[in-house]
Amino acid sequence: RTQVDSTFTKLLRASSVKRYELKWDSDWIKYGNHLAEPRTWDLFTGPRILLQRIVSGSKLDATFVTDTYICNTDVITLQPRSAMSEEVFFFYLGILASSLCSFHVKSQNVNLDRATYPKINTNTLATFPTPVLKDATKLANLVKQMLATKKQLTAAQRETEREQLQNKCDYLDGEIDRLVYELYGLTAEEIKIVEGASKVPLGTAYL
């Protein structure tokens, strides 16, 4: 749908939210009380983490945004109860997009049994424990690099450049997982279990 006038706002669907990046599909919506169940406008503004409910791979699709977007019900919006620094946002984004978080969701969420359009259960997501935040810097820096590299990868034209940037993303992904394992105190055996499960797409794990 196109932007008819200034009352229309950018719309995000599930397919718009990718791992550490946003791919807006040029959709617009006139948002207001004329809709069946309009939500509060605050949900669509300010710094926040967006998480795709429809699971398309072995890890969760999540990213960080600050611009105004209306999200449909297949996009989960995560906002802090009080002001939070960008560094802390990146810290929690790294945890949500990690192999460990996807392992927890996959093991607990019965909605992922479905062969088509498996969806994250928000109640299950809420049961995932968050570590005590002592120092967010290391993990946040890796996530910041990942967000920047994903943008570069999307813009890259040459195949050799794309390969180099994808290799960097893969490296950063591994480093993020490593730090998350340390935060949660996983043993080598526990890491093997998580890594083995992470190779299976979430939507097919129980078929």
Side-chain angles (χ1 to χ4, degrees):
R1 190 170 185 178
T2 58
Q3 185 182 26
V4 177
D5 55 44
S6 60
T7 64
F8 280 69
T9 305
K10 293 179 179 179
L11 172 67
L12 295 181
R13 304 181 188 278
S15 59
S16 304
V17 180
K18 305 297 183 182
R19 296 193 73 246
Y20 298 108
E21 61 180 333
L22 194 67
K23 293 188 175 181
W24 178 54
D25 295 324
S26 300
D27 290 323
W28 298 83
I29 187 172
K30 184 179 179 66
Y31 198 79
N33 293 329
H34 63 284
L35 298 176
E37 295 182 6
R39 290 169 286 172
T40 173
W41 187 259
D42 292 344
L43 194 63
F44 309 122
T45 61
R48 59 206 187 278
I49 293 173
L50 300 182
L51 186 71
Q52 183 185 155
R53 286 194 68 212
I54 300 175
V55 179
S56 59
S58 58
K59 295 183 181 180
L60 306 184
D61 291 306
T63 193
F64 172 78
V65 298
T66 57
D67 293 340
T68 299
Y69 294 99
I70 304 298
C71 300
N72 72 6
T73 55
D74 283 326
V75 177
I76 299 170
T77 299
L78 301 175
Q79 292 177 310
R81 293 189 177 94
S82 58
M84 196 164 73
S85 70
E86 188 175 84
E87 182 178 84
V88 177
F89 268 108
F90 290 170
F91 174 82
Y92 286 116
L93 174 58
I95 291 173
L96 286 168
S98 70
S99 291
L100 182 58
C101 184
S102 67
F103 175 81
H104 173 82
V105 171
K106 181 166 58 175
S107 64
Q108 300 292 322
N109 199 336
V110 295
N111 288 332
L112 296 182
D113 288 354
R114 299 187 300 181
T116 57
Y117 302 113
K119 293 187 178 184
I120 299 169
N121 184 309
T122 53
N123 291 329
T124 299
L125 187 64
T127 67
F128 185 64
T130 54
V132 176
L133 179 56
K134 295 181 179 179
D135 183 6
T137 304
K138 288 184 179 179
L139 183 54
N141 283 342
L142 287 172
V143 171
K144 186 176 182 179
Q145 290 181 61
M146 177 70 91
L147 290 165
T149 306
K150 283 283 189 174
K151 287 184 178 180
Q152 294 171 350
L153 179 58
T154 298
Q157 300 294 322
R158 293 181 290 109
E159 185 61 30
T160 53
E161 183 182 8
R162 290 185 60 81
E163 288 180 2
Q164 291 174 348
L165 290 168
Q166 184 58 59
N167 287 339
K168 184 177 180 180
C169 286
D170 293 342
Y171 168 77
L172 291 170
D173 223 1
E175 288 298 290
I176 289 169
D177 273 346
R178 182 181 63 79
L179 281 182
V180 172
Y181 295 148
E182 288 182 7
L183 283 169
Y184 284 85
L186 266 64
T187 66
E189 286 303 313
E190 289 170 335
I191 292 172
K192 285 182 180 179
I193 294 171
V194 172
E195 292 289 338
S198 70
K199 296 176 182 178
V200 181
L202 269 68
T204 60
Y206 296 93
L207 298 181

